[in-house]
Amino acid sequence: MKVKHIIPIVLFASAPMVVSAQSQLKSGINLANLDNSVRPADDFYQYACGGWMKNNPLPAAYSRFGSFDQLGQNNNERINNILTDLLKNDYPAGSTERKLSDFYKLAMDSVRRNKEGVQPVMPLINEIEAAKTVADLRAIQLKYATFGYGVPMGIGFGADEKNAKMNILNVYQGGLVLGQKEYYLDTDPATTAIREAYKKHVVRMFKLFGFDEAKAQQKMEGILGVETALAKASKSRTELRDVEANYNKMTISQFESAYPHVNLTKMLNAQGVKTEYFKELVVGQPDFVKGADALLAGVSADALRAYMQWDAIISAASYLSDDVIEANFDFFGRTLSGRKVNHPRWKRATSQVEGQMGEALGKMYVERYFPASSKARMEALVKNLQVSLAERIKAQDWMSPETKQAALDKLNAFYVKIGYPDKWKDMSGLTIDPKLSYYENV
């Protein structure tokens, strides 16, 4: 799932607010942050930061607390104020605020989610379960192509690393829920313990979704078989650092000829991507795709079915009942990290709402805290910087006229983004239906 965050909007929105409140703040160094009782030559850190530390005691939840931490804390308070209003207030039907309010209320309604349990995702799980053959399962993959259930690799568009003028389709290794191949292949005691815990976790999760012990065990064995085969074909994290080795451009016809069982063209077409947009692509790890293609050529219906269901369960888990969320978190948040992590419901809900409707939340944020005058001021500041930089480029005696012109062309081509977009995303086509579950609305 592609995630969009409000944080960039918030940070850029808030910084200008600090400088725009001229009646309260002065520009330059705030002398109150210094400790003039200490000679700089004796203890420069205490001299430079002592006033700040005295005026801003270290909060209990922080290991450090500077101006950017304060900025983040202020942002969190503002966002929480908006979210609190979303829970309490009513908004006109069809408005973006109403959609955001309804969605956040669903995210926070743990009583309803606990009552619904895993039922919201069971139609999908049952549809996959009813598919008897590999061909039937492939048809379901195409039906839900946008979600990529059971697709054992990463597929997406991004900048061509050797041609900055274009984006290009990228295919790269993936399909491992544990992330690294070593979790599946290494035999040291610590890794073996994590792998055994993962097996138990898979069984536990399938039992939560209504499968009996024997069936859940069978599902786990199929999933581990698929993921272990993918791990054997995967590069290690160290090998993935080789930029050149991970850039292998080819045509789509070459890809389909070399890896016929991936069904790449069909999957992209099913997502609405026309073939004309991926006549060329970059394959990150050809040996992995070769291994995945061989796996897909011989995978059993039982193994593929379990692997697709597991993908669907993992994708849905954080939007379901507390017992499913806790079960999943117990493994991924504690077993893999080796430590307990606090994840209160409100923080999880806030993060999910930001991920799904971050721009809508950002729009409400800037309406309250970042007036158009602040955006205009910062745009003028950036424009002045561009003018100044252009003058410096023109004044250089070590640059040829052609190089200067190329630099100026690049400078003039900058697309300046300040605070928030000039045109907000149109959400008129989005429907949030409170009668449906949180998961279904996601």
Side-chain angles (χ1 to χ4, degrees):
M1 184 175 291
K2 298 178 177 61
V3 177
K4 301 173 183 174
H5 293 290
I6 189 178
I7 298 303
I9 293 178
V10 169
L11 288 178
F12 285 114
S14 296
M17 280 299 294
V18 175
V19 299
S20 66
Q22 296 176 346
S23 61
Q24 300 178 20
L25 298 178
K26 296 180 180 180
S27 62
I29 297 174
N30 186 351
L31 298 181
N33 290 334
L34 305 179
D35 183 356
N36 290 302
S37 67
V38 177
R39 292 179 66 246
D42 294 338
D43 188 342
F44 185 78
Y45 182 80
Q46 180 62 31
Y47 168 76
C49 304
W52 167 268
M53 292 187 291
K54 179 181 178 181
N55 297 327
N56 300 275
L58 184 68
Y62 289 79
S63 60
R64 48 153 287 167
F65 192 77
S67 57
F68 278 95
D69 300 291
Q70 187 180 63
L71 176 63
Q73 187 179 63
N74 292 341
N75 282 332
N76 287 335
E77 291 176 359
R78 291 171 175 174
I79 293 170
N80 285 333
N81 287 337
I82 294 173
L83 294 174
T84 300
D85 287 345
L86 288 173
L87 287 177
K88 296 189 300 183
N89 298 336
D90 292 323
Y91 300 91
S95 66
T96 299
E97 291 81 1
R98 174 67 172 271
K99 296 173 184 181
L100 184 58
S101 174
D102 287 343
F103 188 67
Y104 185 57
K105 289 174 182 177
L106 287 167
M108 289 293 288
D109 192 350
S110 61
V111 174
R112 175 177 172 179
R113 285 193 288 107
N114 287 336
K115 183 178 180 180
E116 291 171 338
V118 300
Q119 289 309 307
V121 77
M122 286 311 297
L124 173 61
I125 299 298
N126 292 334
E127 183 178 0
I128 299 173
E129 185 70 15
K132 301 303 180 185
T133 67
V134 170
D136 294 337
L137 292 164
R138 292 285 179 85
I140 293 176
Q141 284 182 322
L142 294 179
K143 179 180 177 181
Y144 299 105
T146 302
F147 301 98
Y149 297 131
V151 177
M153 62 193 70
I155 301 171
F157 289 88
D160 187 335
E161 294 182 354
K162 293 191 176 183
N163 182 1
K165 294 181 179 180
M166 67 175 291
N167 289 330
I168 195 167
L169 178 65
N170 293 271
V171 176
Y172 46 93
Q173 73 180 43
L176 303 181
V177 172
L178 295 181
Q180 300 182 46
K181 63 181 296 181
E182 289 80 7
Y183 282 123
Y184 299 89
L185 304 178
D186 286 2
T187 56
D188 61 277
T191 306
T192 300
I194 290 175
R195 187 164 55 247
E196 292 303 313
Y198 179 53
K199 293 178 182 180
K200 293 178 181 178
H201 174 64
V202 175
V203 171
R204 179 185 180 188
M205 291 295 284
F206 271 98
K207 289 172 69 175
L208 286 174
F209 279 76
F211 294 91
D212 61 29
E213 178 75 31
K215 196 69 173 179
Q217 189 74 23
Q218 181 187 22
K219 299 280 188 187
M220 178 274 292
E221 291 171 356
I223 292 163
L224 262 292
V226 170
E227 293 191 28
T228 302
L230 293 173
K232 291 177 180 178
S234 297
K235 285 187 175 183
S236 67
R237 290 284 177 91
T238 303
E239 291 171 319
L240 289 174
R241 297 173 186 168
D242 189 337
V243 178
E244 282 295 326
N246 294 318
Y247 186 93
N248 305 276
K249 184 178 282 188
M250 63 182 66
T251 65
I252 186 61
S253 59
Q254 290 173 324
F255 183 94
E256 295 287 12
S257 176
Y259 316 112
H261 303 96
V262 175
N263 288 335
L264 181 60
T265 298
K266 288 183 178 179
M267 281 195 294
L268 288 168
N269 289 163
Q271 293 183 49
V273 183
K274 297 179 181 179
T275 308
E276 63 188 270
Y277 296 125
F278 54 93
K279 292 180 180 179
E280 286 188 319
L281 68 153
V282 173
V283 178
Q285 300 77 35
D287 288 343
F288 170 83
V289 181
K290 181 180 179 180
D293 186 75
L295 170 67
L296 293 171
V299 69
S300 68
D302 286 343
L304 181 58
R305 184 185 304 111
Y307 187 60
M308 289 172 61
Q309 288 173 322
W310 182 229
D311 205 349
I313 288 172
I314 292 295
S315 298
S318 61
Y319 305 106
L320 299 175
S321 61
D322 282 347
D323 58 347
V324 173
I325 293 171
E326 289 296 333
N328 210 39
F329 181 82
D330 278 343
F331 180 78
F332 291 103
R334 296 182 179 133
T335 305
L336 287 181
S337 69
R339 60 189 176 89
K340 291 187 177 182
V341 181
N342 185 30
H343 68 305
R345 181 181 298 114
W346 67 265
K347 185 177 292 185
R348 184 174 65 239
T350 300
S351 176
Q352 291 174 349
V353 171
E354 287 177 353
Q356 301 293 339
M357 296 187 70
E359 191 163 310
L361 189 56
K363 188 172 186 293
M364 293 186 69
Y365 181 99
V366 299
E367 286 172 351
R368 291 193 187 188
Y369 303 113
F370 187 47
S373 59
S374 293
K375 176 169 179 166
R377 182 178 180 218
M378 294 308 297
E379 287 174 336
L381 183 151
V382 173
K383 183 63 178 178
N384 290 337
L385 289 174
Q386 289 178 292
V387 171
S388 178
L389 183 55
E391 292 175 351
R392 293 184 63 182
I393 291 171
K394 294 174 183 177
Q396 301 304 318
D397 57 9
W398 58 270
M399 298 174 72
S400 68
E402 293 79 11
T403 303
K404 289 182 181 180
Q405 188 57 52
L408 292 169
D409 290 343
K410 185 173 184 179
L411 179 62
N412 292 330
F414 283 174
Y415 180 68
V416 179
K417 297 182 179 181
I418 298 294
Y420 54 88
D422 295 328
K423 182 179 180 180
W424 292 97
K425 183 178 294 182
D426 181 6
M427 296 193 177
S428 60
L430 173 66
T431 299
I432 301 297
D433 186 352
K435 294 190 295 296
L436 298 178
S437 68
Y438 179 44
Y439 167 77
E440 289 170 302
N441 277 286
V442 169

